[in-house]
C-alpha cells in the first residue's frame, strides 16, 4: 500500500465513533523534502470542512512561523494523531487514539521521516509512548528531542507547543519559534 492508497482508506474509515461526526477525514499533506513530519492532535472545524490539515487560525500561525524560518509548509509532511475531528474540538479519547494510531504508524513507515515534530501534549504523549517515554505535562518535554525506533524507522521525536496553545497564550510564541528553528535547522543539541 502506498501513501495515496492509505489516504483513501482513511477517508472512508469507520474504525472509531469519530467517523459519525466528520465532514471529511484529514489524512495529511506535504512532502518529505526536509525529511520532517509535523504531527498535531486532531482536525478542527476548518480542517474538517476542507479535508486539509492545519488550515484554520492555528494552521495559519504554523504556516507563517515556518515561512519566517524560510520553510514552506509544502516541504514538510503535516498530519495529526487522529484523522477525524472530535466533536467541539475536544481532546480525543485514548480509545480513539488507539483506533487511529495504525494510520500514523503506516505513514511513518511509508514516509520514513528523520525527524517528527510533535505539536502539543496529545501528540507528544502518543509519539513518545512509542519509544517508551511517559509524558504527563508538555513542560516536561517541550524543546527536547528523543531518539527511537517507530514503525521500523529510526527517528528523532522533538516536542513543541501546539500552535493553538500559542494563539491562546502569545507569550509562548518565542519558545515555539525557537523550537521550530532548532528542529528544522538541523543543529540539534538538545537530545535526551
Ligand atoms: S479518527 Fe481515525 S480511526 Fe477514527 S474513524 Fe477517523 S480515521 Fe478512522
Amino acid at each position: 500500500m502506498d501513501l495515496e492508497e492509505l489516504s483513501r482508506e482513511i477517508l472512508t474509515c469507520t474504525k472509531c465513533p469519530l467517523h459519525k461526526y466528520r465532514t471529511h477525514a484529514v489524512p495529511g499533506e506535504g512532502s518529505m523534502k526536509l525529511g520532517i513530519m509535523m504531527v498535531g492532535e486532531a482536525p478542527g472545524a476548518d480542517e474538517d470542512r476542507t479535508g486539509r490539515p492545519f488550515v484554520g487560525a492555528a494552521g495559519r500561525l504554523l504556516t507563517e512561523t515556518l515561512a519566517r524560518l524560510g520553510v514552506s509548509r509544502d516541504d514538510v509532511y503535516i498530519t495529526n494523531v487522529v484523522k477525524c475531528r472530535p466533536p467541539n474540538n475536544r481532546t480525543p479519547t485514548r480509545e480513539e487514539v488507539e483506533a487511529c494510531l495504525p494510520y500514523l504508524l503506516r505513514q511513518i513507515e511509508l514516509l520514513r521521516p528523520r525527524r517528527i515534530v510533535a505539536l502539543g501534549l496529545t501528540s507528544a504523549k502518543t509519539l513518545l509512548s512509542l519509544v517508551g517515554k511517559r509524558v504527563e505535562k508538555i513542560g516536561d518535554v517541550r524543546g527536547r528531542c528523543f531518539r527511537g525506533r517507530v514503525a521500523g524507522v529510526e527517528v528523532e521525536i522533538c516536542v513543541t507547543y501546539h500552535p493553538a496553545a500559542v494563539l491562546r497564550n502569545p507569550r509562548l510564541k518565542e519558545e515555539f519559534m525557537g523550537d521550530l528553528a532548532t528542529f528544522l535547522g538541523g543543529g540539534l543539541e538538545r537530545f535526551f
Side-chain angles (χ1 to χ4, degrees):
M1 182 183 277
D2 64 19
L3 198 61
E4 274 185 30
E5 286 170 329
L6 180 63
S7 295
R8 278 199 294 277
E9 186 177 325
I10 292 169
L11 292 177
T12 56
C13 175
T14 55
K15 281 200 304 176
C16 88
L18 292 183
H19 80 275
K20 290 187 264 181
Y21 311 106
R22 74 180 175 220
T23 308
H24 296 103
V26 183
E29 67 180 29
S31 74
M32 275 292 111
K33 190 171 171 191
L34 299 178
I36 289 175
M37 268 179 99
M38 308 195 85
V39 181
E41 177 177 292
D46 293 298
E47 292 77 16
D48 177 67
R49 185 173 47 78
T50 59
R52 297 182 58 213
F54 282 93
V55 291
R60 279 194 295 281
L61 175 66
L62 177 64
T63 303
E64 284 163 16
T65 307
L66 291 175
R68 285 181 67 187
L69 296 169
V71 173
S72 162
R73 65 177 268 151
D74 297 337
D75 294 342
V76 298
Y77 191 84
I78 304 177
T79 187
N80 287 294
V81 171
V82 300
K83 315 301 191 194
C84 300
R85 183 194 183 202
N88 302 315
N89 292 348
R90 66 161 168 73
T91 303
T93 64
R94 202 179 67 188
E95 290 74 19
E96 290 158 357
V97 169
E98 280 173 8
C100 212
L101 190 57
Y103 293 129
L104 181 61
L105 293 176
R106 198 74 181 100
Q107 288 174 323
I108 293 168
E109 196 181 355
L110 288 166
L111 291 165
R112 308 191 71 78
R114 63 187 172 89
R115 193 171 294 157
I116 301 175
V117 179
L119 300 166
L121 183 60
T122 298
S123 178
K125 260 185 178 176
T126 305
L127 286 161
L128 290 177
S129 73
L130 301 171
V131 296
K133 171 102 187 137
R134 199 181 152 97
V135 179
E136 300 292 343
K137 292 184 295 186
I138 190 81
D140 294 342
V141 286
R142 193 232 102 232
R144 297 168 61 185
C145 295
F146 302 81
R147 285 198 175 101
R149 196 169 176 82
V150 177
V153 182
E154 290 294 334
V155 286
E156 300 156 355
I157 299 168
C158 302
V159 182
T160 190
Y161 299 114
H162 193 287
V166 182
L167 279 181
R168 285 193 300 272
N169 183 359
R171 281 179 303 176
L172 304 179
K173 207 166 189 170
E174 203 172 313
E175 283 178 329
F176 178 65
M177 187 147 171
D179 288 344
L180 290 185
T182 305
F183 301 159
L184 297 169
L188 290 176
E189 284 146 16
R190 289 183 279 171
F191 276 108
F192 293 84

Short mmCIF file of all heavy atoms in Angstrom, two decimals, residues 9-20 22 25-26 43 81-86 92 95-103, ligand 1:
data_model
loop_
_atom_site.label_atom_id
_atom_site.label_comp_id
_atom_site.label_asym_id
_atom_site.label_seq_id
_atom_site.Cartn_x
_atom_site.Cartn_y
_atom_site.Cartn_z
N GLU A 9 -7.98 5.00 2.24
CA GLU A 9 -8.54 4.16 3.30
C GLU A 9 -8.99 5.02 4.48
O GLU A 9 -10.06 4.80 5.06
CB GLU A 9 -7.49 3.13 3.74
CG GLU A 9 -8.05 2.14 4.73
CD GLU A 9 -7.03 1.08 5.13
OE1 GLU A 9 -6.21 0.67 4.28
OE2 GLU A 9 -7.06 0.65 6.30
N ILE A 10 -8.17 6.02 4.83
CA ILE A 10 -8.52 6.90 5.95
C ILE A 10 -9.82 7.66 5.65
O ILE A 10 -10.68 7.82 6.52
CB ILE A 10 -7.35 7.89 6.23
CG1 ILE A 10 -6.14 7.13 6.79
CG2 ILE A 10 -7.79 9.00 7.18
CD1 ILE A 10 -4.85 7.94 6.85
N LEU A 11 -9.98 8.10 4.41
CA LEU A 11 -11.15 8.90 4.04
C LEU A 11 -12.48 8.15 4.25
O LEU A 11 -13.52 8.76 4.45
CB LEU A 11 -11.06 9.36 2.58
CG LEU A 11 -9.95 10.37 2.27
CD1 LEU A 11 -9.91 10.69 0.79
CD2 LEU A 11 -10.11 11.64 3.09
N THR A 12 -12.42 6.83 4.21
CA THR A 12 -13.65 6.05 4.37
C THR A 12 -13.66 5.22 5.66
O THR A 12 -14.51 4.35 5.84
CB THR A 12 -13.84 5.10 3.17
OG1 THR A 12 -12.68 4.27 3.04
CG2 THR A 12 -14.06 5.87 1.88
N CYS A 13 -12.71 5.51 6.54
CA CYS A 13 -12.56 4.69 7.76
C CYS A 13 -13.75 4.87 8.71
O CYS A 13 -14.26 5.97 8.87
CB CYS A 13 -11.27 5.08 8.48
SG CYS A 13 -11.06 4.24 10.06
N THR A 14 -14.16 3.76 9.32
CA THR A 14 -15.23 3.82 10.33
C THR A 14 -14.79 3.06 11.59
O THR A 14 -15.62 2.51 12.32
CB THR A 14 -16.53 3.19 9.78
OG1 THR A 14 -16.25 1.85 9.34
CG2 THR A 14 -17.09 3.99 8.62
N LYS A 15 -13.47 3.07 11.85
CA LYS A 15 -12.95 2.25 12.96
C LYS A 15 -13.25 2.81 14.35
O LYS A 15 -13.10 2.11 15.35
CB LYS A 15 -11.43 2.07 12.81
CG LYS A 15 -11.05 1.01 11.80
CD LYS A 15 -9.63 0.51 12.00
CE LYS A 15 -8.62 1.63 11.98
NZ LYS A 15 -7.26 1.20 12.27
N CYS A 16 -13.59 4.09 14.43
CA CYS A 16 -13.95 4.64 15.74
C CYS A 16 -15.13 5.59 15.59
O CYS A 16 -15.46 6.00 14.47
CB CYS A 16 -12.75 5.31 16.42
SG CYS A 16 -12.53 7.05 16.01
N PRO A 17 -15.77 5.95 16.69
CA PRO A 17 -17.01 6.74 16.58
C PRO A 17 -16.82 8.12 15.94
O PRO A 17 -17.81 8.74 15.53
CB PRO A 17 -17.44 6.90 18.05
CG PRO A 17 -16.77 5.79 18.78
CD PRO A 17 -15.49 5.53 18.07
N LEU A 18 -15.60 8.61 15.84
CA LEU A 18 -15.41 9.95 15.27
C LEU A 18 -15.88 10.04 13.81
O LEU A 18 -16.19 11.12 13.33
CB LEU A 18 -13.94 10.38 15.37
CG LEU A 18 -13.43 10.64 16.80
CD1 LEU A 18 -11.98 11.12 16.76
CD2 LEU A 18 -14.30 11.64 17.53
N HIS A 19 -15.96 8.90 13.14
CA HIS A 19 -16.40 8.97 11.73
C HIS A 19 -17.83 9.50 11.61
O HIS A 19 -18.21 10.06 10.60
CB HIS A 19 -16.27 7.60 11.06
CG HIS A 19 -17.39 6.66 11.36
ND1 HIS A 19 -17.41 5.85 12.48
CD2 HIS A 19 -18.55 6.39 10.71
CE1 HIS A 19 -18.52 5.14 12.49
NE2 HIS A 19 -19.23 5.46 11.42
N LYS A 20 -18.61 9.34 12.70
CA LYS A 20 -20.02 9.76 12.64
C LYS A 20 -20.18 11.28 12.60
O LYS A 20 -21.20 11.78 12.17
CB LYS A 20 -20.77 9.22 13.87
CG LYS A 20 -20.95 7.72 13.84
CD LYS A 20 -21.83 7.25 14.97
CE LYS A 20 -20.98 6.80 16.13
NZ LYS A 20 -21.69 6.31 17.27
N ARG A 22 -17.76 13.50 11.32
CA ARG A 22 -16.89 14.22 10.39
C ARG A 22 -17.61 14.63 9.10
O ARG A 22 -18.57 13.96 8.68
CB ARG A 22 -15.67 13.36 10.02
CG ARG A 22 -16.03 12.25 9.07
CD ARG A 22 -14.84 11.39 8.69
NE ARG A 22 -15.28 10.28 7.87
CZ ARG A 22 -14.83 9.03 7.96
NH1 ARG A 22 -13.89 8.73 8.83
NH2 ARG A 22 -15.30 8.09 7.17
N ALA A 25 -12.52 13.26 6.62
CA ALA A 25 -11.33 12.83 7.35
C ALA A 25 -10.15 13.60 6.76
O ALA A 25 -10.20 14.07 5.62
CB ALA A 25 -11.12 11.33 7.18
N VAL A 26 -9.08 13.75 7.56
CA VAL A 26 -7.94 14.56 7.14
C VAL A 26 -6.67 13.71 7.24
O VAL A 26 -6.03 13.66 8.30
CB VAL A 26 -7.82 15.82 8.02
CG1 VAL A 26 -6.68 16.71 7.54
CG2 VAL A 26 -9.13 16.60 8.07
N PRO A 43 -7.97 17.11 13.58
CA PRO A 43 -8.51 18.21 12.78
C PRO A 43 -9.47 19.06 13.60
O PRO A 43 -10.10 18.57 14.54
CB PRO A 43 -9.27 17.48 11.66
CG PRO A 43 -8.78 16.07 11.69
CD PRO A 43 -8.35 15.79 13.08
N VAL A 81 -2.57 13.07 15.00
CA VAL A 81 -2.66 11.75 15.62
C VAL A 81 -3.97 11.08 15.24
O VAL A 81 -3.99 9.92 14.84
CB VAL A 81 -2.55 11.86 17.17
CG1 VAL A 81 -2.85 10.51 17.83
CG2 VAL A 81 -1.17 12.35 17.57
N VAL A 82 -5.09 11.79 15.36
CA VAL A 82 -6.36 11.24 14.86
C VAL A 82 -6.78 12.03 13.64
O VAL A 82 -6.54 13.22 13.53
CB VAL A 82 -7.50 11.19 15.93
CG1 VAL A 82 -7.10 10.34 17.11
CG2 VAL A 82 -7.95 12.56 16.35
N LYS A 83 -7.40 11.33 12.72
CA LYS A 83 -7.64 11.91 11.39
C LYS A 83 -9.06 12.49 11.22
O LYS A 83 -9.36 13.05 10.17
CB LYS A 83 -7.40 10.85 10.30
CG LYS A 83 -6.13 10.01 10.47
CD LYS A 83 -4.86 10.83 10.50
CE LYS A 83 -3.62 9.93 10.40
NZ LYS A 83 -2.39 10.65 10.74
N CYS A 84 -9.91 12.33 12.22
CA CYS A 84 -11.27 12.92 12.15
C CYS A 84 -11.47 13.85 13.33
O CYS A 84 -10.94 13.62 14.42
CB CYS A 84 -12.34 11.82 12.19
SG CYS A 84 -12.20 10.64 10.83
N ARG A 85 -12.28 14.88 13.12
CA ARG A 85 -12.47 15.91 14.13
C ARG A 85 -13.33 15.42 15.31
O ARG A 85 -14.47 14.99 15.11
CB ARG A 85 -13.17 17.12 13.52
CG ARG A 85 -13.35 18.25 14.49
CD ARG A 85 -14.32 19.29 13.99
NE ARG A 85 -14.42 20.40 14.93
CZ ARG A 85 -15.45 21.23 14.99
NH1 ARG A 85 -16.45 21.10 14.16
NH2 ARG A 85 -15.46 22.21 15.88
N PRO A 86 -12.81 15.52 16.53
CA PRO A 86 -13.65 15.21 17.69
C PRO A 86 -14.70 16.33 17.87
O PRO A 86 -14.40 17.49 17.60
CB PRO A 86 -12.67 15.21 18.86
CG PRO A 86 -11.32 15.05 18.24
CD PRO A 86 -11.40 15.74 16.92
N PRO A 92 -9.10 13.98 21.84
CA PRO A 92 -9.51 12.61 21.51
C PRO A 92 -9.30 11.68 22.70
O PRO A 92 -8.37 11.85 23.48
CB PRO A 92 -8.59 12.22 20.34
CG PRO A 92 -7.54 13.27 20.26
CD PRO A 92 -8.02 14.47 21.00
N GLU A 95 -9.19 5.61 23.47
CA GLU A 95 -9.69 4.60 22.52
C GLU A 95 -9.63 5.13 21.08
O GLU A 95 -9.28 4.39 20.16
CB GLU A 95 -11.14 4.22 22.86
CG GLU A 95 -11.31 3.42 24.14
CD GLU A 95 -11.15 4.26 25.40
OE1 GLU A 95 -11.26 5.51 25.32
OE2 GLU A 95 -10.90 3.67 26.47
N GLU A 96 -9.96 6.39 20.91
CA GLU A 96 -9.91 6.98 19.56
C GLU A 96 -8.47 7.05 19.06
O GLU A 96 -8.19 6.75 17.90
CB GLU A 96 -10.56 8.37 19.58
CG GLU A 96 -12.08 8.33 19.75
CD GLU A 96 -12.69 9.60 20.28
OE1 GLU A 96 -11.95 10.57 20.59
OE2 GLU A 96 -13.93 9.65 20.41
N VAL A 97 -7.56 7.44 19.96
CA VAL A 97 -6.14 7.50 19.58
C VAL A 97 -5.66 6.10 19.20
O VAL A 97 -4.99 5.91 18.18
CB VAL A 97 -5.29 8.10 20.72
CG1 VAL A 97 -3.79 7.91 20.45
CG2 VAL A 97 -5.61 9.57 20.92
N GLU A 98 -6.03 5.12 20.01
CA GLU A 98 -5.57 3.74 19.72
C GLU A 98 -6.13 3.22 18.40
O GLU A 98 -5.45 2.54 17.65
CB GLU A 98 -5.97 2.81 20.88
CG GLU A 98 -5.00 2.93 22.04
CD GLU A 98 -5.45 2.15 23.27
OE1 GLU A 98 -6.44 1.39 23.17
OE2 GLU A 98 -4.81 2.32 24.32
N ALA A 99 -7.40 3.58 18.13
CA ALA A 99 -8.01 3.12 16.87
C ALA A 99 -7.33 3.74 15.66
O ALA A 99 -7.17 3.10 14.62
CB ALA A 99 -9.50 3.47 16.86
N CYS A 100 -6.90 4.99 15.80
CA CYS A 100 -6.35 5.71 14.65
C CYS A 100 -4.83 5.57 14.50
O CYS A 100 -4.28 5.79 13.43
CB CYS A 100 -6.71 7.20 14.77
SG CYS A 100 -6.94 8.00 13.17
N LEU A 101 -4.17 5.19 15.59
CA LEU A 101 -2.70 5.16 15.58
C LEU A 101 -2.09 4.31 14.45
O LEU A 101 -1.05 4.70 13.89
CB LEU A 101 -2.19 4.70 16.95
CG LEU A 101 -0.69 4.83 17.19
CD1 LEU A 101 -0.21 6.27 17.00
CD2 LEU A 101 -0.33 4.33 18.59
N PRO A 102 -2.69 3.18 14.07
CA PRO A 102 -2.09 2.41 12.98
C PRO A 102 -1.91 3.23 11.70
O PRO A 102 -0.97 2.98 10.93
CB PRO A 102 -3.08 1.27 12.77
CG PRO A 102 -3.72 1.09 14.11
CD PRO A 102 -3.83 2.47 14.68
N TYR A 103 -2.76 4.23 11.46
CA TYR A 103 -2.60 5.06 10.26
C TYR A 103 -1.34 5.93 10.37
O TYR A 103 -0.59 6.07 9.41
CB TYR A 103 -3.83 5.95 10.05
CG TYR A 103 -5.07 5.19 9.69
CD1 TYR A 103 -6.25 5.39 10.38
CD2 TYR A 103 -5.06 4.26 8.65
CE1 TYR A 103 -7.40 4.67 10.05
CE2 TYR A 103 -6.19 3.54 8.32
CZ TYR A 103 -7.37 3.75 9.02
OH TYR A 103 -8.49 3.05 8.68
S1 LIG B 1 -10.41 9.06 13.77
FE1 LIG B 1 -9.14 7.55 12.69
S2 LIG B 1 -9.89 5.52 13.41
FE2 LIG B 1 -11.47 7.06 13.89
S3 LIG B 1 -12.86 6.98 12.13
FE3 LIG B 1 -11.38 8.64 11.75
S4 LIG B 1 -9.73 7.69 10.53
FE4 LIG B 1 -10.94 6.03 11.47
#
